Structures are given as C-alpha cells and as structure tokens.
Amino acid sequence: AGAGLFASIRDLFVEKRERKELPAPVKIDFIEDLLDDGTCICGASLAEGTSGHEHIAEWKQRAGLAEVEERWISLHSYAGHMEKSRAELGDQLNELLTGRLAAVQARDFIREQLSEVSTQLQSHSIDEIGKLEDARVKVGNHLNDELRRQGRLETELARLGEAKRRASVRLDKAQSVEAKAALAQRRVAATREALDILEKIFDVRTQLTRAALDQEIKRVHNSISYKPDIPSVNERFELQLRRGGNDEPAAKSSGENQILSLSFVGALASRARSRFEEKSSGGAESERGGIYPIVMDSLFGPLEENYQSEVAIALPQLTEQIVLLVSKSQGQAKAVYEHIAPRIGRSYVISYVTPKPDAKVQMITLGDETYPLIVPSPDGSEYAKLTEVS
C-alpha cells in the first residue's frame, strides 16, 4: 500500500508539471500587486469595474501559492527518497532473515552435538571423565607448544631467507667482479699482444729506416768527399766514419766532421722528401715525410777549397730550401759563390751595430751595391739589423 501511495504522489506531481500547474505560470503576489497598482504591465488601466480588472482577478483564482509549490516539490522528493529507503529496508530485512535462519540452524546443530556429548558422558564414570579432561588439557598444552615451536621455526625461516637474500646479493656482486676481472684480463692480454705487434712493427720500421738512412748518408758523403772513408749508422743510430775496406775508425779533421754532419742532415732531409713524394703519388702511409729546409751556419769555414766546391754543388740536391749563414770571406769565395749564385732566391746582409765608439766601419759589396757589415752605434746601444740584398 505504501509503494502505491508513493507512486501516486509522483504520478500526480508529473501530471501537474505536464499541465504546467507546477510551477504556477503566475504568482499570486504578482496578481495582487497589479490590482493594487491599478495598472497592467502593458500600461492598461486595471481600475475596479473595468474588464481588465475582472480579467486579472480571474487569474488570481488560478495563481499558485509559493508555499503550496514548495510543499509539492518537497512531497515529490520525499516520495522518491522513501521508495529508495523502502527498497533498501527490504534488502536489509532479507539479509537479517537469512542470517537468523543460519543462526537457528547453527544453534540446532550445536544442540544436537551437545546432546550427543551428554549421552556419551552419561556412559562414562567420573574417573574416566577426569582422565579425558586431563588428556584434553595435555593435548591443548602440546598444541600450544607446537604453535610456539612453529612460531620459532617461522622466525628462523625468515632469518635464513634474509641470509639467503644477502648471500645471493654478494654472489651476484662477486660474479660481476669476476666478470669485470676476466674482461680486464682479456683487455690486458689484447693490449700486450697489440704492444708486441707494435714493437715488432717498430723494430722492422726502425731497421728499414736505419738502412735507408745509412744508404742515403753514404750517397751524400760519397758525392762530396774524395777520401775512401765510409760513413755508417749503427744499431743505436750513432754516426760513424770508418776507413774504407775495414772497420777501423777513420781520423777526421774539422772539415771532414763538417762534411759528415752535412751528410747526415742532408740524408734526413732527402729521406723526408722522398717519403713525401711517395705518399703524394699514392704510396705507403706509414711514413708521412715532408719538405723540410736545411739551416746551417758557417758551413764552408773549416772546408778546403775543393771541398767547398763539392759541398756547394751537392747542397741544392738535398732539399727544396736551404738557409745558409756565411761570413764575408765564405760568401765571396769563388769556389762557393759560382755554384750557389744561380740557386739563390733571396739574400740578406746582417749588419752589426756595435756600442764600441772607435770601431772601424766594415762594408761588403754584392753586385753593384755596397752594404755595411759593422757600424758604430749612434746612441751606444747594441743590435743587429737585417737588410735584403736587392
């Protein structure tokens, strides 16, 4: 009956809304205000006795009261809430009835067991019951002991599990260290093997370079010296000069030492140039080589005239560029100048400005020009000045 009442209330509320009675189209307070003012919202007169006044008064009968509308809305909301509460109450009652039935069944089962135990007890004497109770107590104590033992075993099992986990972590770290050590050993072995190979390659290249340099020194020295002495480069790259035909060291004058040094420097420059030319033409990349100049100071000073001519002839063949620092006597020597003059690119005169006030002026004539070699300083300072020969 309650459910039908709530449904009727909701249906009536919906019906009134469909007929637009809720909410009311016009409020009664609004009608009374219009009648009190005597003027419609359109401006027409609503004085008593007019048709407009009568018409508006009729709307007063149909106007809705705010309190009535509020009660209807509250009643509709309450009906919906009560329907939901009624359904929930029914579900709760079903659950309680189900639980009550289960409790009754459990009670009946316990009563049956109690009756059975009572029957069994009636068949035993008091002593037997006491013995059974003692046995029950012992079994209970034993059960408690076993439970405590189980707890200790579980604690020990947890401790052993944690120890196993830490041991596993240490094992993983040890295996990682072992793997890294094995990798390091392989790298060391590979590095040593590569080092051995590089050392062998270095030894081979060293011997090849020493042999090539030895041959080039012999060639340059033979083109300059008229003596049968033979230069050589030993295993430690020491430059030696021996008497031809035997291993006895040859006695060397200062001029011969100069020729031997020139042979060594010229051989190095010639070797570097040949390697550079081989690389430029698509040869081996093991030696880069290059075009390097030779710079020598007072080359011709300790040389005899015949050696001066040979050295002047051999110099342009050693490298692309040679820088020679010569004294006045060396530069103007006929044996030197007539051979190197056609190959001179640029020449300069180094003038020494001396602070000595009584120093004599010295000049040098090159071609049609005269250049100072030694001049007194006008302010007592000492320096050298470089002048290009035109």
Side-chain angles (χ1 to χ4, degrees):
L5 177 60
F6 295 145
S8 298
I9 292 173
R10 296 184 64 186
D11 293 342
L12 183 58
F13 180 82
V14 172
E15 181 181 350
K16 284 183 172 293
R17 290 194 63 177
E18 290 177 350
R19 293 201 305 265
K20 297 185 179 179
E21 293 179 5
L22 290 174
V26 181
K27 305 297 181 182
I28 191 169
D29 294 339
F30 177 67
I31 299 298
E32 290 177 351
D33 290 342
L34 291 178
L35 294 176
D36 291 342
D37 291 343
T39 304
C40 181
I41 60 175
C42 64
S45 175
L46 298 179
E48 292 186 7
T50 62
S51 59
H53 184 275
E54 295 177 357
H55 185 70
I56 295 299
E58 292 177 0
W59 269 99
K60 186 177 180 181
Q61 302 299 325
R62 291 181 288 175
L65 294 176
E67 184 178 355
V68 174
E69 291 182 10
E70 183 179 353
R71 290 296 180 89
W72 266 108
I73 293 172
S74 298
L75 184 60
H76 173 265
S77 175
Y78 180 76
H81 176 70
M82 290 304 295
E83 281 185 335
K84 182 179 179 181
S85 298
R86 184 176 182 276
E88 292 176 353
L89 180 60
D91 294 338
Q92 292 176 359
L93 286 175
N94 289 333
E95 291 179 1
L96 290 174
L97 290 174
T98 302
R100 181 178 180 276
L101 179 60
V104 169
Q105 291 175 350
R107 183 197 64 187
D108 293 342
F109 177 75
I110 292 173
R111 283 178 177 177
E112 292 177 359
Q113 287 185 327
L114 181 61
S115 176
E116 183 179 353
V117 170
S118 178
T119 303
Q120 292 176 356
L121 289 176
Q122 290 176 1
S123 63
H124 294 282
S125 64
I126 298 300
D127 294 337
E128 291 177 344
I129 293 174
K131 292 178 181 180
L132 290 174
E133 180 63 19
D134 292 340
R136 187 188 67 80
V137 172
K138 290 181 180 179
V139 170
N141 293 334
H142 180 70
L143 177 61
N144 292 333
D145 293 339
E146 289 298 321
L147 289 176
R148 285 192 293 271
R149 180 172 178 271
Q150 180 182 357
R152 290 193 300 271
L153 292 176
E154 289 177 351
T155 303
E156 181 66 13
L157 182 62
R159 186 187 66 80
L160 293 176
E162 178 62 20
K164 178 183 177 182
R165 186 191 66 80
R166 292 196 297 268
S168 178
V169 172
R170 290 196 298 270
L171 178 61
D172 292 340
K173 289 183 179 179
Q175 291 175 345
S176 177
V177 171
E178 183 179 359
K180 291 180 179 178
L183 178 60
Q185 289 178 353
R186 291 195 297 271
R187 288 177 175 174
V188 169
T191 302
R192 288 175 177 173
E193 183 179 357
L195 180 61
D196 292 340
I197 294 174
L198 290 176
E199 287 178 348
K200 291 178 181 178
I201 294 175
F202 177 77
D203 291 340
V204 173
R205 296 304 306 174
T206 299
Q207 295 304 320
L208 291 176
T209 301
R210 188 193 64 80
L213 186 61
D214 183 78
Q215 293 297 321
E216 189 65 20
I217 291 175
K218 287 181 171 61
R219 184 190 67 80
V220 175
H221 187 273
N222 185 61
S223 65
I224 299 174
S225 178
Y226 55 83
K227 289 186 176 181
D229 299 336
I230 300 176
S232 63
V233 179
N234 62 14
E235 298 294 332
R236 292 180 296 179
F237 280 80
E238 295 175 340
L239 187 61
Q240 300 174 341
L241 184 65
R242 298 187 179 279
R243 182 67 59 184
N246 54 56
D247 292 334
E248 295 180 3
K252 301 185 295 294
S253 63
S254 58
E256 289 169 341
N257 277 326
Q258 189 83 336
I259 294 174
L260 189 60
S261 299
L262 176 62
S263 301
F264 179 76
V265 174
L268 287 177
S270 178
R271 174 68 179 174
R273 181 176 64 179
S274 63
R275 297 304 301 170
F276 176 78
E277 292 173 351
E278 290 178 9
K279 178 182 176 182
S280 300
S281 60
E285 295 287 338
S286 58
E287 296 182 27
R288 291 181 297 177
I291 305 299
Y292 302 107
I294 295 178
V295 181
M296 304 198 75
D297 184 16
S298 300
L299 174 63
F300 301 98
L303 299 179
E304 299 177 359
E305 184 176 352
N306 53 346
Y307 274 145
Q308 291 180 353
S309 298
E310 297 297 332
V311 169
I313 295 173
L315 276 177
Q317 302 174 11
L318 299 179
T319 185
E320 299 290 331
Q321 184 181 27
I322 299 176
V323 178
L324 294 177
L325 301 177
V326 297
S327 63
K328 178 178 180 182
S329 60
Q330 295 175 21
Q332 291 182 326
K334 181 179 180 181
V336 175
Y337 190 76
E338 67 181 3
H339 293 295
I340 65 173
R343 308 297 297 271
I344 295 176
R346 290 186 179 183
S347 58
Y348 300 85
V349 174
I350 301 176
S351 303
Y352 172 61
V353 180
T354 176
K356 188 177 181 179
D358 58 347
K360 294 182 180 179
V361 176
Q362 295 187 25
M363 308 295 290
I364 183 172
T365 300
L366 298 174
D368 297 332
E369 298 291 336
T370 301
Y371 302 91
L373 281 180
I374 300 175
V375 293
S377 173
D379 55 4
S381 59
E382 179 183 15
Y383 58 92
K385 184 170 62 175
L386 193 67
T387 305
E388 185 176 2
V389 176
S390 59

